[in-house]
Amino acid sequence: MMLSIFTTALLVLTCAGAFLWFEKSGRFDAKHIAVIATLSALAGAFRIPFAMLPNIQPTTFLVMVSGIVFGPISGFITGAMATLVSNAILGHGPWTPWQMLAWGLSGTYGGLIAHTRINTSRIGLALHLFLWGFLFDYIMNLWHFAYFISPHTLKSFIAVFAASFFFDLSHAVGNACFAWIFGAELIQVLTRFKRKINSEKNNFERKMFYD
């Protein structure tokens, strides 16, 4: 129990540190923050109507796309905020910091692979999101193992992961389907919007400089 409490507290501090850095860094203007807030709200809200399905939801897909377009830090914040938004309806608990970390990392991962063939390959995006269906659930399996399983043995560890396999697979397949159907188009739309924001920001800075 002490291990589970310690790890959860550590995750809370990690997420709080990311939010604080995001706020204090000065790298993000009001429009950028507004876009991240909107994407977070959408990623969280779209999780709710899919709650009746066995581990199928578009949240991981939307969070990773936000990271691909707006960068790893923005991706992490989007994932963490999406958790807070959706759990406000579905219920908060000791699992919330773990979900914040897992979805935050999926957004960070999106930012890290943004300059690979992911931007031009529909199948590449689907494969990465298929992978993250498992990775997200493996992180949540660690939470389940730390909190609810006793004793902590290799046998019980393997049993937890084996029992969740079909739920993990449905998450992965759902992610891949969302990516295949909507991924390339959504990335293009958000990229155009990002360019527009950056162009307006540059024009404003030039005007302020010459004035």
Side-chain angles (χ1 to χ4, degrees), residues 32-51:
H32 189 124
I33 294 173
V35 172
I36 297 306
T38 302
L39 288 172
S40 301
L42 290 174
F46 278 127
R47 180 185 169 205
I48 297 168
F50 285 86

mmCIF file with all atom_site columns, all heavy atoms in Angstrom, residues 32-51:
data_model
loop_
_atom_site.group_PDB
_atom_site.id
_atom_site.type_symbol
_atom_site.label_atom_id
_atom_site.label_alt_id
_atom_site.label_comp_id
_atom_site.label_asym_id
_atom_site.label_entity_id
_atom_site.label_seq_id
_atom_site.pdbx_PDB_ins_code
_atom_site.Cartn_x
_atom_site.Cartn_y
_atom_site.Cartn_z
_atom_site.occupancy
_atom_site.B_iso_or_equiv
_atom_site.pdbx_formal_charge
_atom_site.auth_seq_id
_atom_site.auth_comp_id
_atom_site.auth_asym_id
_atom_site.auth_atom_id
_atom_site.pdbx_PDB_model_num
ATOM 1   N N   . HIS A 1 32 ? -2.639  29.992 -28.549 1.00 0.00 ? 32 HIS A N   1
ATOM 2   C CA  . HIS A 1 32 ? -2.119  28.632 -28.438 1.00 0.00 ? 32 HIS A CA  1
ATOM 3   C C   . HIS A 1 32 ? -2.760  27.923 -27.241 1.00 0.00 ? 32 HIS A C   1
ATOM 4   O O   . HIS A 1 32 ? -3.203  26.773 -27.350 1.00 0.00 ? 32 HIS A O   1
ATOM 5   C CB  . HIS A 1 32 ? -0.596  28.667 -28.283 1.00 0.00 ? 32 HIS A CB  1
ATOM 6   C CG  . HIS A 1 32 ? 0.061   27.330 -28.375 1.00 0.00 ? 32 HIS A CG  1
ATOM 7   N ND1 . HIS A 1 32 ? 1.061   27.047 -29.270 1.00 0.00 ? 32 HIS A ND1 1
ATOM 8   C CD2 . HIS A 1 32 ? -0.152  26.169 -27.692 1.00 0.00 ? 32 HIS A CD2 1
ATOM 9   C CE1 . HIS A 1 32 ? 1.442   25.792 -29.132 1.00 0.00 ? 32 HIS A CE1 1
ATOM 10  N NE2 . HIS A 1 32 ? 0.727   25.245 -28.173 1.00 0.00 ? 32 HIS A NE2 1
ATOM 11  N N   . ILE A 1 33 ? -2.813  28.606 -26.123 1.00 0.00 ? 33 ILE A N   1
ATOM 12  C CA  . ILE A 1 33 ? -3.411  28.021 -24.917 1.00 0.00 ? 33 ILE A CA  1
ATOM 13  C C   . ILE A 1 33 ? -4.894  27.720 -25.148 1.00 0.00 ? 33 ILE A C   1
ATOM 14  O O   . ILE A 1 33 ? -5.410  26.681 -24.715 1.00 0.00 ? 33 ILE A O   1
ATOM 15  C CB  . ILE A 1 33 ? -3.221  28.966 -23.721 1.00 0.00 ? 33 ILE A CB  1
ATOM 16  C CG1 . ILE A 1 33 ? -1.729  29.067 -23.377 1.00 0.00 ? 33 ILE A CG1 1
ATOM 17  C CG2 . ILE A 1 33 ? -4.017  28.483 -22.514 1.00 0.00 ? 33 ILE A CG2 1
ATOM 18  C CD1 . ILE A 1 33 ? -1.408  30.098 -22.322 1.00 0.00 ? 33 ILE A CD1 1
ATOM 19  N N   . ALA A 1 34 ? -5.570  28.615 -25.870 1.00 0.00 ? 34 ALA A N   1
ATOM 20  C CA  . ALA A 1 34 ? -6.993  28.392 -26.154 1.00 0.00 ? 34 ALA A CA  1
ATOM 21  C C   . ALA A 1 34 ? -7.202  27.155 -27.014 1.00 0.00 ? 34 ALA A C   1
ATOM 22  O O   . ALA A 1 34 ? -8.152  26.387 -26.804 1.00 0.00 ? 34 ALA A O   1
ATOM 23  C CB  . ALA A 1 34 ? -7.581  29.622 -26.842 1.00 0.00 ? 34 ALA A CB  1
ATOM 24  N N   . VAL A 1 35 ? -6.312  26.936 -27.986 1.00 0.00 ? 35 VAL A N   1
ATOM 25  C CA  . VAL A 1 35 ? -6.413  25.750 -28.837 1.00 0.00 ? 35 VAL A CA  1
ATOM 26  C C   . VAL A 1 35 ? -6.195  24.481 -28.019 1.00 0.00 ? 35 VAL A C   1
ATOM 27  O O   . VAL A 1 35 ? -6.939  23.493 -28.162 1.00 0.00 ? 35 VAL A O   1
ATOM 28  C CB  . VAL A 1 35 ? -5.390  25.826 -29.995 1.00 0.00 ? 35 VAL A CB  1
ATOM 29  C CG1 . VAL A 1 35 ? -5.351  24.507 -30.762 1.00 0.00 ? 35 VAL A CG1 1
ATOM 30  C CG2 . VAL A 1 35 ? -5.741  26.962 -30.935 1.00 0.00 ? 35 VAL A CG2 1
ATOM 31  N N   . ILE A 1 36 ? -5.182  24.491 -27.152 1.00 0.00 ? 36 ILE A N   1
ATOM 32  C CA  . ILE A 1 36 ? -4.904  23.324 -26.317 1.00 0.00 ? 36 ILE A CA  1
ATOM 33  C C   . ILE A 1 36 ? -6.072  23.049 -25.380 1.00 0.00 ? 36 ILE A C   1
ATOM 34  O O   . ILE A 1 36 ? -6.469  21.892 -25.174 1.00 0.00 ? 36 ILE A O   1
ATOM 35  C CB  . ILE A 1 36 ? -3.602  23.545 -25.512 1.00 0.00 ? 36 ILE A CB  1
ATOM 36  C CG1 . ILE A 1 36 ? -2.417  23.700 -26.459 1.00 0.00 ? 36 ILE A CG1 1
ATOM 37  C CG2 . ILE A 1 36 ? -3.363  22.374 -24.561 1.00 0.00 ? 36 ILE A CG2 1
ATOM 38  C CD1 . ILE A 1 36 ? -2.250  22.588 -27.457 1.00 0.00 ? 36 ILE A CD1 1
ATOM 39  N N   . ALA A 1 37 ? -6.658  24.106 -24.834 1.00 0.00 ? 37 ALA A N   1
ATOM 40  C CA  . ALA A 1 37 ? -7.816  23.925 -23.959 1.00 0.00 ? 37 ALA A CA  1
ATOM 41  C C   . ALA A 1 37 ? -8.987  23.319 -24.720 1.00 0.00 ? 37 ALA A C   1
ATOM 42  O O   . ALA A 1 37 ? -9.695  22.437 -24.209 1.00 0.00 ? 37 ALA A O   1
ATOM 43  C CB  . ALA A 1 37 ? -8.216  25.258 -23.341 1.00 0.00 ? 37 ALA A CB  1
ATOM 44  N N   . THR A 1 38 ? -9.190  23.765 -25.955 1.00 0.00 ? 38 THR A N   1
ATOM 45  C CA  . THR A 1 38 ? -10.285 23.236 -26.772 1.00 0.00 ? 38 THR A CA  1
ATOM 46  C C   . THR A 1 38 ? -10.055 21.776 -27.111 1.00 0.00 ? 38 THR A C   1
ATOM 47  O O   . THR A 1 38 ? -10.978 20.943 -27.016 1.00 0.00 ? 38 THR A O   1
ATOM 48  C CB  . THR A 1 38 ? -10.421 24.059 -28.071 1.00 0.00 ? 38 THR A CB  1
ATOM 49  O OG1 . THR A 1 38 ? -10.658 25.424 -27.737 1.00 0.00 ? 38 THR A OG1 1
ATOM 50  C CG2 . THR A 1 38 ? -11.555 23.528 -28.919 1.00 0.00 ? 38 THR A CG2 1
ATOM 51  N N   . LEU A 1 39 ? -8.830  21.440 -27.528 1.00 0.00 ? 39 LEU A N   1
ATOM 52  C CA  . LEU A 1 39 ? -8.519  20.046 -27.851 1.00 0.00 ? 39 LEU A CA  1
ATOM 53  C C   . LEU A 1 39 ? -8.662  19.151 -26.616 1.00 0.00 ? 39 LEU A C   1
ATOM 54  O O   . LEU A 1 39 ? -9.141  18.012 -26.715 1.00 0.00 ? 39 LEU A O   1
ATOM 55  C CB  . LEU A 1 39 ? -7.104  19.947 -28.415 1.00 0.00 ? 39 LEU A CB  1
ATOM 56  C CG  . LEU A 1 39 ? -6.910  20.491 -29.830 1.00 0.00 ? 39 LEU A CG  1
ATOM 57  C CD1 . LEU A 1 39 ? -5.426  20.512 -30.191 1.00 0.00 ? 39 LEU A CD1 1
ATOM 58  C CD2 . LEU A 1 39 ? -7.679  19.651 -30.837 1.00 0.00 ? 39 LEU A CD2 1
ATOM 59  N N   . SER A 1 40 ? -8.250  19.663 -25.466 1.00 0.00 ? 40 SER A N   1
ATOM 60  C CA  . SER A 1 40 ? -8.386  18.895 -24.222 1.00 0.00 ? 40 SER A CA  1
ATOM 61  C C   . SER A 1 40 ? -9.850  18.628 -23.913 1.00 0.00 ? 40 SER A C   1
ATOM 62  O O   . SER A 1 40 ? -10.228 17.499 -23.541 1.00 0.00 ? 40 SER A O   1
ATOM 63  C CB  . SER A 1 40 ? -7.743  19.653 -23.057 1.00 0.00 ? 40 SER A CB  1
ATOM 64  O OG  . SER A 1 40 ? -6.378  19.894 -23.293 1.00 0.00 ? 40 SER A OG  1
ATOM 65  N N   . ALA A 1 41 ? -10.666 19.659 -24.076 1.00 0.00 ? 41 ALA A N   1
ATOM 66  C CA  . ALA A 1 41 ? -12.099 19.503 -23.806 1.00 0.00 ? 41 ALA A CA  1
ATOM 67  C C   . ALA A 1 41 ? -12.730 18.499 -24.764 1.00 0.00 ? 41 ALA A C   1
ATOM 68  O O   . ALA A 1 41 ? -13.541 17.651 -24.363 1.00 0.00 ? 41 ALA A O   1
ATOM 69  C CB  . ALA A 1 41 ? -12.794 20.850 -23.905 1.00 0.00 ? 41 ALA A CB  1
ATOM 70  N N   . LEU A 1 42 ? -12.358 18.571 -26.043 1.00 0.00 ? 42 LEU A N   1
ATOM 71  C CA  . LEU A 1 42 ? -12.907 17.641 -27.025 1.00 0.00 ? 42 LEU A CA  1
ATOM 72  C C   . LEU A 1 42 ? -12.455 16.215 -26.752 1.00 0.00 ? 42 LEU A C   1
ATOM 73  O O   . LEU A 1 42 ? -13.264 15.274 -26.805 1.00 0.00 ? 42 LEU A O   1
ATOM 74  C CB  . LEU A 1 42 ? -12.488 18.063 -28.434 1.00 0.00 ? 42 LEU A CB  1
ATOM 75  C CG  . LEU A 1 42 ? -13.123 19.336 -28.991 1.00 0.00 ? 42 LEU A CG  1
ATOM 76  C CD1 . LEU A 1 42 ? -12.502 19.696 -30.332 1.00 0.00 ? 42 LEU A CD1 1
ATOM 77  C CD2 . LEU A 1 42 ? -14.628 19.152 -29.134 1.00 0.00 ? 42 LEU A CD2 1
ATOM 78  N N   . ALA A 1 43 ? -11.164 16.047 -26.458 1.00 0.00 ? 43 ALA A N   1
ATOM 79  C CA  . ALA A 1 43 ? -10.643 14.706 -26.187 1.00 0.00 ? 43 ALA A CA  1
ATOM 80  C C   . ALA A 1 43 ? -11.304 14.092 -24.960 1.00 0.00 ? 43 ALA A C   1
ATOM 81  O O   . ALA A 1 43 ? -11.581 12.886 -24.921 1.00 0.00 ? 43 ALA A O   1
ATOM 82  C CB  . ALA A 1 43 ? -9.126  14.769 -25.997 1.00 0.00 ? 43 ALA A CB  1
ATOM 83  N N   . GLY A 1 44 ? -11.555 14.927 -23.947 1.00 0.00 ? 44 GLY A N   1
ATOM 84  C CA  . GLY A 1 44 ? -12.232 14.426 -22.759 1.00 0.00 ? 44 GLY A CA  1
ATOM 85  C C   . GLY A 1 44 ? -13.705 14.169 -22.992 1.00 0.00 ? 44 GLY A C   1
ATOM 86  O O   . GLY A 1 44 ? -14.251 13.142 -22.581 1.00 0.00 ? 44 GLY A O   1
ATOM 87  N N   . ALA A 1 45 ? -14.362 15.107 -23.696 1.00 0.00 ? 45 ALA A N   1
ATOM 88  C CA  . ALA A 1 45 ? -15.806 14.983 -23.909 1.00 0.00 ? 45 ALA A CA  1
ATOM 89  C C   . ALA A 1 45 ? -16.148 13.795 -24.799 1.00 0.00 ? 45 ALA A C   1
ATOM 90  O O   . ALA A 1 45 ? -17.140 13.087 -24.552 1.00 0.00 ? 45 ALA A O   1
ATOM 91  C CB  . ALA A 1 45 ? -16.350 16.270 -24.524 1.00 0.00 ? 45 ALA A CB  1
ATOM 92  N N   . PHE A 1 46 ? -15.345 13.539 -25.831 1.00 0.00 ? 46 PHE A N   1
ATOM 93  C CA  . PHE A 1 46 ? -15.631 12.427 -26.736 1.00 0.00 ? 46 PHE A CA  1
ATOM 94  C C   . PHE A 1 46 ? -15.398 11.067 -26.083 1.00 0.00 ? 46 PHE A C   1
ATOM 95  O O   . PHE A 1 46 ? -15.831 10.043 -26.622 1.00 0.00 ? 46 PHE A O   1
ATOM 96  C CB  . PHE A 1 46 ? -14.788 12.543 -28.009 1.00 0.00 ? 46 PHE A CB  1
ATOM 97  C CG  . PHE A 1 46 ? -15.352 13.483 -29.023 1.00 0.00 ? 46 PHE A CG  1
ATOM 98  C CD1 . PHE A 1 46 ? -14.577 14.504 -29.557 1.00 0.00 ? 46 PHE A CD1 1
ATOM 99  C CD2 . PHE A 1 46 ? -16.663 13.369 -29.439 1.00 0.00 ? 46 PHE A CD2 1
ATOM 100 C CE1 . PHE A 1 46 ? -15.098 15.376 -30.488 1.00 0.00 ? 46 PHE A CE1 1
ATOM 101 C CE2 . PHE A 1 46 ? -17.202 14.233 -30.374 1.00 0.00 ? 46 PHE A CE2 1
ATOM 102 C CZ  . PHE A 1 46 ? -16.420 15.241 -30.904 1.00 0.00 ? 46 PHE A CZ  1
ATOM 103 N N   . ARG A 1 47 ? -14.709 11.059 -24.958 1.00 0.00 ? 47 ARG A N   1
ATOM 104 C CA  . ARG A 1 47 ? -14.546 9.797  -24.228 1.00 0.00 ? 47 ARG A CA  1
ATOM 105 C C   . ARG A 1 47 ? -15.867 9.353  -23.598 1.00 0.00 ? 47 ARG A C   1
ATOM 106 O O   . ARG A 1 47 ? -16.128 8.149  -23.491 1.00 0.00 ? 47 ARG A O   1
ATOM 107 C CB  . ARG A 1 47 ? -13.488 9.980  -23.145 1.00 0.00 ? 47 ARG A CB  1
ATOM 108 C CG  . ARG A 1 47 ? -13.223 8.737  -22.312 1.00 0.00 ? 47 ARG A CG  1
ATOM 109 C CD  . ARG A 1 47 ? -12.257 9.030  -21.186 1.00 0.00 ? 47 ARG A CD  1
ATOM 110 N NE  . ARG A 1 47 ? -12.194 7.937  -20.227 1.00 0.00 ? 47 ARG A NE  1
ATOM 111 C CZ  . ARG A 1 47 ? -11.848 8.054  -18.967 1.00 0.00 ? 47 ARG A CZ  1
ATOM 112 N NH1 . ARG A 1 47 ? -11.498 9.253  -18.506 1.00 0.00 ? 47 ARG A NH1 1
ATOM 113 N NH2 . ARG A 1 47 ? -11.837 7.028  -18.170 1.00 0.00 ? 47 ARG A NH2 1
ATOM 114 N N   . ILE A 1 48 ? -16.695 10.304 -23.204 1.00 0.00 ? 48 ILE A N   1
ATOM 115 C CA  . ILE A 1 48 ? -17.902 10.000 -22.424 1.00 0.00 ? 48 ILE A CA  1
ATOM 116 C C   . ILE A 1 48 ? -18.928 9.169  -23.196 1.00 0.00 ? 48 ILE A C   1
ATOM 117 O O   . ILE A 1 48 ? -19.390 8.148  -22.695 1.00 0.00 ? 48 ILE A O   1
ATOM 118 C CB  . ILE A 1 48 ? -18.508 11.300 -21.878 1.00 0.00 ? 48 ILE A CB  1
ATOM 119 C CG1 . ILE A 1 48 ? -17.510 11.961 -20.912 1.00 0.00 ? 48 ILE A CG1 1
ATOM 120 C CG2 . ILE A 1 48 ? -19.835 11.034 -21.179 1.00 0.00 ? 48 ILE A CG2 1
ATOM 121 C CD1 . ILE A 1 48 ? -17.858 13.372 -20.515 1.00 0.00 ? 48 ILE A CD1 1
ATOM 122 N N   . PRO A 1 49 ? -19.309 9.545  -24.432 1.00 0.00 ? 49 PRO A N   1
ATOM 123 C CA  . PRO A 1 49 ? -20.307 8.728  -25.131 1.00 0.00 ? 49 PRO A CA  1
ATOM 124 C C   . PRO A 1 49 ? -19.808 7.339  -25.516 1.00 0.00 ? 49 PRO A C   1
ATOM 125 O O   . PRO A 1 49 ? -20.622 6.458  -25.812 1.00 0.00 ? 49 PRO A O   1
ATOM 126 C CB  . PRO A 1 49 ? -20.635 9.559  -26.384 1.00 0.00 ? 49 PRO A CB  1
ATOM 127 C CG  . PRO A 1 49 ? -19.484 10.469 -26.560 1.00 0.00 ? 49 PRO A CG  1
ATOM 128 C CD  . PRO A 1 49 ? -18.972 10.764 -25.188 1.00 0.00 ? 49 PRO A CD  1
ATOM 129 N N   . PHE A 1 50 ? -18.477 7.135  -25.501 1.00 0.00 ? 50 PHE A N   1
ATOM 130 C CA  . PHE A 1 50 ? -17.925 5.826  -25.821 1.00 0.00 ? 50 PHE A CA  1
ATOM 131 C C   . PHE A 1 50 ? -17.718 4.962  -24.581 1.00 0.00 ? 50 PHE A C   1
ATOM 132 O O   . PHE A 1 50 ? -17.221 3.838  -24.690 1.00 0.00 ? 50 PHE A O   1
ATOM 133 C CB  . PHE A 1 50 ? -16.582 5.982  -26.547 1.00 0.00 ? 50 PHE A CB  1
ATOM 134 C CG  . PHE A 1 50 ? -16.706 6.427  -27.976 1.00 0.00 ? 50 PHE A CG  1
ATOM 135 C CD1 . PHE A 1 50 ? -16.792 7.775  -28.289 1.00 0.00 ? 50 PHE A CD1 1
ATOM 136 C CD2 . PHE A 1 50 ? -16.728 5.511  -29.012 1.00 0.00 ? 50 PHE A CD2 1
ATOM 137 C CE1 . PHE A 1 50 ? -16.908 8.203  -29.604 1.00 0.00 ? 50 PHE A CE1 1
ATOM 138 C CE2 . PHE A 1 50 ? -16.842 5.914  -30.333 1.00 0.00 ? 50 PHE A CE2 1
ATOM 139 C CZ  . PHE A 1 50 ? -16.940 7.274  -30.622 1.00 0.00 ? 50 PHE A CZ  1
ATOM 140 N N   . ALA A 1 51 ? -18.093 5.496  -23.405 1.00 0.00 ? 51 ALA A N   1
ATOM 141 C CA  . ALA A 1 51 ? -17.817 4.785  -22.155 1.00 0.00 ? 51 ALA A CA  1
ATOM 142 C C   . ALA A 1 51 ? -18.505 3.429  -22.089 1.00 0.00 ? 51 ALA A C   1
ATOM 143 O O   . ALA A 1 51 ? -18.047 2.516  -21.385 1.00 0.00 ? 51 ALA A O   1
ATOM 144 C CB  . ALA A 1 51 ? -18.241 5.639  -20.964 1.00 0.00 ? 51 ALA A CB  1
#
